Amino acid sequence: MELAGKNVVVTGAAGGIGSALVARCHAEGAKVVASDLASNIAVAEAQITRLNVSRGSSAVAVAADVATERGNQSLIDAAETAFGAIDVFFANAGVAIGRDIDTPETDWQTAFNVNVHAHRWAAKYLVPGWVARGEGYFCSTASAAGLLSQIGSAPYALTKHAAVAFAEWLSITYGDAGLKVSCLCPQGVNTAMLRGGDEPGAGPGSSVVRAAGKVLEPEEVAEIVVAGIRAESFLILPHPEVLTYLQRKTGDYDRWLAGMRKLQARMLTG
Ligand SMILES: NC(=O)c1ccc[n+]([C@@H]2O[C@H](COP(=O)([O-])OP(=O)(O)OC[C@H]3O[C@@H](n4cnc5c(N)ncnc54)[C@H](O)[C@@H]3O)[C@@H](O)[C@H]2O)c1
């Protein structure tokens, strides 16, 4: 799908990847709704002001908490009121919280609400309209952790696998009705989430993610996402080596698990 002339919604738009997606989609000629928590919306509003200077009435910021069904519904209502039918929805907001199985229950709930349930709540309000129109594009930001695993964070590994599973299910169920689905699965990206990853109580430590491979800039990721959407590819892998790791995993699960345990031991001792 070409983004020029399309109406696009990005959640988690005050952050690294989300903000870069907003800029890149707008540069492609889309109208953009940038959404984030009310506590962060000023950052998105500043970006929107700049975008509207370059092209009038082409972008709005909407505060919404996607960790609730109501937040997703009100975001979609506000976006449709601003620009009309939504063509592309980036379910990008995410949290990296929790480490072990003793992660507090409230953190487990937040991780599932933001990283998984937000995607299905958004889809619940988008898909009927898309099926009626015979088109619509759902782009889920999962993670390489959703295809492989996440050393050091059970909540992140579980919720990102669930996000990949939901994106697969959407594509299988509605692909023949015209719905396009992509699933973005990066490794390290230079954002506040990665930089905060070594804080106590945070999810995947920065050191683990940095050791896994090159850390990309959000703008590089956004460019790859736009190319993936143009090609209508399901898997968008800014780090292409993730496909090799996935093939190794599915080719010999036990060997892959042993390798992951070795990597974990190296991380703990290093
Ligand atoms: N940075 C990485 O290395 C990396 C790697 C793989 C996947 N990801 C994923 O990319 C996505 C974007 O993360 P990022 O790296 O840009 O980090 P980020 O922390 O800069 O951005 C995440 C954004 O999500 C928003 N958010 C959190 N909870 C929300 C809620 N309840 N409602 C609305 N917005 C909410 C935050 O306010 C923030 O602006 C996330 O889904 C993340 O899991 C990041």
Side-chain angles (χ1 to χ4, degrees):
M1 178 186 276
E2 293 296 332
L3 288 164
K6 297 293 192 298
N7 295 333
V8 167
V9 177
V10 181
T11 70
I17 296 174
S19 174
L21 284 173
V22 167
R24 188 60 209 231
C25 291
H26 190 269
E28 292 287 318
K31 287 185 179 168
V32 185
V33 176
S35 183
D36 209 295
L37 290 167
S39 54
N40 277 350
I41 201 66
V43 181
E45 282 168 349
Q47 182 180 21
I48 290 312
T49 302
R50 290 193 297 275
L51 296 179
N52 280 324
V53 168
S54 69
R55 183 154 45 91
S57 306
S58 58
V60 293
V62 174
D65 181 354
V66 297
T68 67
E69 178 171 354
R70 181 76 200 114
N72 284 276
Q73 189 183 10
S74 64
L75 165 59
I76 289 164
D77 285 349
E80 289 176 346
T81 301
F83 293 136
I86 296 165
D87 298 299
V88 187
F89 190 93
F90 289 93
N92 171 75
V95 289
I97 48 175
R99 291 190 179 276
D100 217 327
I101 47 176
D102 58 3
T103 293
E105 290 302 318
T106 49
D107 286 354
W108 276 105
Q109 282 160 13
T110 302
F112 270 97
N113 285 342
V114 181
N115 293 353
V116 185
H117 297 313
H119 296 200
R120 69 175 179 81
W121 283 322
K124 178 176 170 180
Y125 293 97
L126 290 164
V127 168
W130 283 346
V131 169
R133 285 167 60 199
E135 63 176 359
Y137 210 122
F138 192 90
C139 183
S140 152
T141 302
S143 167
L147 299 170
L148 304 166
S149 189
Q150 183 61 58
I151 288 172
S153 180
Y156 202 73
L158 266 69
T159 57
K160 291 299 185 178
H161 271 74
V164 173
F166 183 66
E168 290 171 348
W169 182 88
L170 271 184
S171 179
I172 292 165
T173 308
Y174 297 107
D176 289 341
L179 180 59
K180 308 288 182 207
V181 183
S182 289
C183 188
L184 169 63
C185 294
Q187 288 191 309
V189 186
N190 184 21
T191 69
M193 180 180 288
L194 185 66
R195 292 189 294 271
D198 284 329
E199 289 169 10
S206 298
S207 49
V208 174
V209 178
R210 284 175 200 284
K214 189 180 175 198
V215 173
L216 298 176
E217 293 304 319
E219 294 73 20
E220 295 178 273
V221 173
E223 188 175 341
I224 291 165
V225 171
V226 167
I229 286 183
R230 183 169 289 128
E232 299 181 352
S233 308
F234 177 78
L235 263 190
I236 301 181
L237 299 177
H239 302 78
E241 63 272 27
V242 169
L243 186 59
T244 307
Y245 303 152
L246 183 61
Q247 286 162 343
R248 284 184 194 150
K249 175 180 175 175
T250 54
D252 188 341
Y253 237 98
D254 290 309
R255 188 167 179 217
W256 176 80
L257 286 169
M260 290 295 277
R261 284 193 289 269
K262 270 189 204 153
L263 176 61
Q264 176 178 248
R266 273 207 307 277
M267 294 312 305
L268 291 178
T269 54

